[in-house]
Amino acid sequence: MNIKPLADRVIIKPLPMEEKTKSGIIMPDTAKEKPQEGEIVAAGPGKVEKGERIALEVKVGDRVMYSKYAGTEVKYDGQEYLILKETDILAIVG
Amino acid sequence: MNIKPLADRVIIKPLPMEEKTKSGIIMPDTAKEKPQEGEIVAAGPGKVEKGERIALEVKVGDRVMYSKYAGTEVKYDGQEYLILKETDILAIVG
Amino acid sequence: MNIKPLADRVIIKPLPMEEKTKSGIIMPDTAKEKPQEGEIVAAGPGKVEKGERIALEVKVGDRVMYSKYAGTEVKYDGQEYLILKETDILAIVG
Amino acid sequence: MNIKPLADRVIIKPLPMEEKTKSGIIMPDTAKEKPQEGEIVAAGPGKVEKGERIALEVKVGDRVMYSKYAGTEVKYDGQEYLILKETDILAIVG
Amino acid sequence: MNIKPLADRVIIKPLPMEEKTKSGIIMPDTAKEKPQEGEIVAAGPGKVEKGERIALEVKVGDRVMYSKYAGTEVKYDGQEYLILKETDILAIVG
Amino acid sequence: MNIKPLADRVIIKPLPMEEKTKSGIIMPDTAKEKPQEGEIVAAGPGKVEKGERIALEVKVGDRVMYSKYAGTEVKYDGQEYLILKETDILAIVG
Amino acid sequence: MNIKPLADRVIIKPLPMEEKTKSGIIMPDTAKEKPQEGEIVAAGPGKVEKGERIALEVKVGDRVMYSKYAGTEVKYDGQEYLILKETDILAIVG
């Protein structure tokens, strides 16, 4: 993929529903916010704070949970992706 | 459990009502916010500030009280969990 | 009491109205916010800023005034307590 | 007085209207915010920033002007006082 | 004048309309905010940041332009003054 | 082009729709925010933080995706450009 | 001109419409914010951050583009000027 996110942004390929079932995560039926799952396909270099670059905790290939209201959608070669900041990622699903 | 929270997030397994009674904490009947109790089942590495990682005050196994409006719910192997930030934890119930 | 508040939080046992009269503090009848009085029964270790833990100015046993809109109520062994942050404490009543 | 304000808070005894006239300050009749005058009867140790305590610019005995919308009222031995932060004090009246 | 402003506050004696005309500044007739002119009659010592006091750029005697919506009015010996922060001063009129 | 953006601003020449199709990015038909594509034709020197200038991650010639609600439009020699801050750039398309 | 802006403020003499046409910048007819052009006729010394003064990127004589909603208008010797902060300047047109 030839899209390089800036700073602390990553590009995520959302998982289809079938894979979600296989990994064991099922979204509950309540009024709370429900996270989504996806795979990181590109990651920025980290943002700079006080002159130092803060490395990301996630890397390409990680399967992650993220807030479903976060980020910006893009379509590339027929596939939908999401660009979001690392702070919108909740956890790595190992 | 194979979910690793990022930064200063933890994963909490909420306590059922019966256990709450045993630990002696009963929620009062007022208009104020009422905390929930649960056990920490996974904890992030702490967030980075000014280039240094701040270790969490809580650890896996701690029983904690937390704001009931905080966090994101996930279901895993039929059990509901909550992902929230350490700052949403009020106290460790010892 | 086996509840340990995190960071800069304390647990306060509110004073009943009779004791308030004895200590000489009477709440005025105006539209301004009115503080409450209570005794600190547990205190956190202080929060971490720039890598250093800031010790609390208050300690267990202090009688304090605090904003009545602050904090989270909990009931423990039939007694109501309040968990709040040190910044919500206005003064120590000596 | 046995009330010790925390951090950068002070306790002020508001001046009655007669004294205000004597000191020469009269509130104007416009739509702008009008300050109040009072005497500082107790002062906190100053707040801590980056590990250092910032001493207050005001001290017990100072006559000060302050925003009338600031602070929390308390009554003690029949006298009304105001607890507010030093940043709500506009000037020392000399 | 025996009023000492705190931190980065100054006390300004507003110029009457006639003097404004003499100094060559005339307020335009548009919808934009229009500044006022006045003379600084008292200045605070500057505020403290990271343990260092930041000296003010203005001094007693300076004629300045300031936002007409800023500050707090006080009347002293029959004269109206304005207490405002240095950041509300736009320019020194030399 | 003789326009030099200040600090962390860049000037972007938006891509016409045909080029967008060629590069493979198609905007999806959902309610989420849709990014735009363009080429950077001028870049500021970076902004100063704590006395140090932070170099930009992007440079003149980069093809980038950016939020369509960001920035300020200008027309120059009959061509429309956009001035925006680097933080409004999502990714380099490369 | 005897007006000295404070901190990071500058005084701008707006360009009349004819000159704008000559410099090649024409404002587009869309709903987006449209910048204005003008010449800097006075500049402050820069603001102080962490004890160090940050020099301005612009200087007297620079032709600049700025947000038309920014700043405060003043009239001096029959000419209208604008006082604004450097952060409201988008680019140097040079």
Side-chain angles (χ1 to χ4, degrees):
Chain A
M1 162 172 264
N2 61 352
I3 307 181
K4 288 172 288 184
L6 289 196
D8 58 341
R9 288 189 182 87
V10 298
I11 301 184
I12 285 176
K13 181 178 164 182
L15 266 72
M17 271 303 165
E18 299 89 299
E19 294 195 41
K20 271 177 203 160
T21 310
K22 268 189 274 176
S23 80
I25 308 283
I26 304 153
M27 299 305 117
D29 295 325
T30 74
K32 285 223 175 182
E33 187 198 344
K34 291 168 194 61
Q36 306 290 315
E37 270 192 276
E39 185 188 329
I40 293 180
V41 295
K47 68 174 169 180
V48 173
E49 244 179 38
K50 318 279 173 210
E52 287 186 60
R53 194 172 294 276
I54 315 289
L56 297 190
E57 283 189 53
V58 294
K59 61 183 185 308
V60 172
D62 280 353
R63 184 169 292 198
V64 296
M65 294 197 307
Y66 55 91
S67 165
K68 77 168 170 183
Y69 299 116
T72 306
E73 291 180 347
V74 298
K75 209 176 225 176
Y76 186 79
D77 284 349
Q79 167 72 41
E80 280 194 22
Y81 296 96
L82 202 67
I83 302 182
L84 43 75
K85 298 191 170 194
E86 194 193 34
T87 50
D88 291 320
I89 299 179
L90 301 167
I92 302 173
V93 182
Chain B
M1 161 172 265
N2 62 351
I3 307 180
K4 288 173 288 184
L6 289 196
D8 58 341
R9 288 190 182 84
V10 298
I11 301 183
I12 285 176
K13 181 176 164 182
L15 267 70
M17 273 302 166
E18 299 88 300
E19 294 196 40
K20 270 177 204 161
T21 310
K22 270 190 272 174
S23 81
I25 308 283
I26 304 154
M27 299 305 116
D29 295 326
T30 74
K32 285 222 176 182
E33 186 198 345
K34 292 167 194 63
Q36 307 289 316
E37 270 191 278
E39 185 188 329
I40 293 180
V41 295
K47 67 174 170 181
V48 173
E49 244 180 36
K50 318 278 173 211
E52 287 185 61
R53 194 172 293 276
I54 315 290
L56 297 189
E57 282 189 54
V58 294
K59 62 182 185 308
V60 171
D62 281 353
R63 182 169 293 199
V64 296
M65 293 196 308
Y66 56 91
S67 164
K68 77 168 169 183
Y69 301 116
T72 306
E73 290 179 346
V74 297
K75 207 176 227 175
Y76 185 80
D77 284 348
Q79 167 73 41
E80 280 193 22
Y81 297 95
L82 202 66
I83 302 182
L84 43 75
K85 298 190 170 196
E86 194 193 34
T87 50
D88 291 320
I89 298 178
L90 300 167
I92 302 173
V93 181
Chain C
M1 163 172 263
N2 62 351
I3 307 181
K4 288 173 286 184
L6 289 196
D8 58 340
R9 288 190 181 85
V10 298
I11 301 184
I12 286 176
K13 181 176 165 182
L15 266 71
M17 272 304 166
E18 300 87 298
E19 294 196 39
K20 270 177 206 162
T21 310
K22 270 190 270 174
S23 80
I25 307 283
I26 304 154
M27 299 304 116
D29 295 325
T30 75
K32 285 223 177 182
E33 187 197 343
K34 291 167 195 63
Q36 306 290 314
E37 269 192 278
E39 185 188 329
I40 293 180
V41 294
K47 68 174 168 180
V48 173
E49 244 180 37
K50 319 279 173 209
E52 287 186 62
R53 193 171 293 277
I54 315 290
L56 297 189
E57 282 188 53
V58 295
K59 61 182 187 307
V60 171
D62 281 352
R63 182 169 294 199
V64 295
M65 293 196 308
Y66 56 90
S67 164
K68 77 168 167 182
Y69 300 116
T72 306
E73 291 179 347
V74 297
K75 207 176 227 177
Y76 185 80
D77 284 349
Q79 167 72 41
E80 281 192 23
Y81 297 95
L82 202 66
I83 302 182
L84 42 75
K85 297 189 172 196
E86 195 192 33
T87 50
D88 291 320
I89 298 178
L90 300 167
I92 301 172
V93 182
Chain D
M1 163 172 264
N2 61 351
I3 307 182
K4 288 173 286 184
L6 289 196
D8 58 341
R9 289 190 180 85
V10 298
I11 300 183
I12 285 176
K13 181 177 166 180
L15 266 70
M17 272 302 167
E18 300 88 299
E19 295 196 38
K20 271 176 205 164
T21 310
K22 270 190 272 175
S23 81
I25 307 284
I26 304 153
M27 300 304 116
D29 295 326
T30 75
K32 285 223 178 182
E33 187 196 345
K34 291 167 193 64
Q36 306 289 315
E37 270 192 277
E39 185 188 329
I40 293 180
V41 294
K47 68 174 168 180
V48 173
E49 245 180 35
K50 318 278 172 211
E52 287 186 61
R53 193 171 294 276
I54 315 289
L56 296 190
E57 283 188 53
V58 294
K59 61 183 187 305
V60 171
D62 281 352
R63 183 169 293 197
V64 295
M65 294 196 307
Y66 56 91
S67 164
K68 77 168 168 182
Y69 300 115
T72 306
E73 291 179 346
V74 297
K75 208 175 226 177
Y76 185 80
D77 284 349
Q79 167 72 40
E80 280 193 23
Y81 297 95
L82 203 67
I83 302 182
L84 43 74
K85 297 189 172 198
E86 195 193 33
T87 50
D88 291 320
I89 299 179
L90 301 167
I92 302 172
V93 182
Chain E
M1 163 172 265
N2 61 352
I3 307 182
K4 288 173 285 185
L6 290 196
D8 58 341
R9 289 190 180 85
V10 298
I11 301 184
I12 285 176
K13 181 177 166 181
L15 266 70
M17 271 304 165
E18 299 89 297
E19 294 195 40
K20 271 176 205 164
T21 310
K22 269 190 272 176
S23 81
I25 307 283
I26 304 154
M27 299 305 116
D29 295 326
T30 74
K32 284 223 177 181
E33 187 197 344
K34 291 166 193 63
Q36 306 289 315
E37 269 193 277
E39 185 187 329
I40 293 180
V41 295
K47 67 174 168 180
V48 173
E49 245 181 36
K50 317 280 172 209
E52 287 186 62
R53 193 171 293 276
I54 314 289
L56 297 190
E57 283 189 52
V58 294
K59 61 183 187 304
V60 171
D62 281 352
R63 183 169 292 198
V64 295
M65 294 196 307
Y66 55 91
S67 164
K68 78 168 168 182
Y69 300 116
T72 306
E73 291 179 345
V74 297
K75 208 175 226 176
Y76 185 79
D77 284 349
Q79 167 72 41
E80 279 193 22
Y81 297 94
L82 201 68
I83 301 182
L84 43 74
K85 297 189 171 196
E86 194 193 34
T87 50
D88 291 321
I89 299 178
L90 301 167
I92 302 172
V93 182
Chain F
M1 163 173 263
N2 61 353
I3 307 182
K4 288 173 287 185
L6 289 197
D8 59 342
R9 288 190 182 86
V10 298
I11 301 183
I12 285 176
K13 182 177 164 183
L15 266 71
M17 272 302 165
E18 299 89 298
E19 295 195 39
K20 270 176 206 163
T21 310
K22 270 190 272 175
S23 81
I25 307 282
I26 305 153
M27 300 305 117
D29 296 326
T30 74
K32 284 222 175 181
E33 187 197 344
K34 291 168 193 62
Q36 306 290 315
E37 270 192 278
E39 186 187 329
I40 293 180
V41 295
K47 68 175 169 178
V48 173
E49 244 180 38
K50 317 281 172 208
E52 287 186 61
R53 194 172 294 276
I54 316 289
L56 296 190
E57 282 188 54
V58 294
K59 61 183 186 307
V60 171
D62 280 352
R63 184 170 293 199
V64 296
M65 293 197 307
Y66 56 91
S67 164
K68 77 168 169 182
Y69 300 116
T72 306
E73 291 179 347
V74 297
K75 208 176 226 176
Y76 185 79
D77 284 348
Q79 167 72 41
E80 280 193 22
Y81 297 95
L82 202 66
I83 302 182
L84 43 75
K85 297 190 172 196
E86 195 193 33
T87 51
D88 291 320
I89 299 179
L90 301 167
I92 302 172
V93 182
Chain G
M1 162 172 264
N2 61 352
I3 307 181
K4 288 173 286 185
L6 289 197
D8 59 340
R9 288 191 181 84
V10 299
I11 301 184
I12 286 176
K13 181 177 165 182
L15 266 71
M17 272 304 165
E18 299 89 299
E19 295 195 39
K20 269 177 206 164
T21 309
K22 269 189 273 176
S23 80
I25 306 282
I26 305 154
M27 300 305 117
D29 296 326
T30 74
K32 284 224 177 181
E33 187 198 344
K34 291 168 193 62
Q36 306 289 316
E37 270 192 277
E39 185 187 330
I40 293 180
V41 295
K47 68 175 168 179
V48 173
E49 244 180 37
K50 317 281 172 207
E52 287 186 61
R53 194 171 293 275
I54 315 289
L56 297 189
E57 282 188 53
V58 295
K59 60 183 187 305
V60 171
D62 281 352
R63 183 170 293 199
V64 295
M65 293 197 307
Y66 56 91
S67 164
K68 78 168 169 182
Y69 300 116
T72 306
E73 291 179 346
V74 298
K75 207 176 226 176
Y76 186 80
D77 284 348
Q79 167 72 41
E80 280 192 22
Y81 297 95
L82 201 67
I83 302 182
L84 43 75
K85 297 190 172 195
E86 195 193 33
T87 50
D88 291 320
I89 299 178
L90 300 167
I92 302 173
V93 182

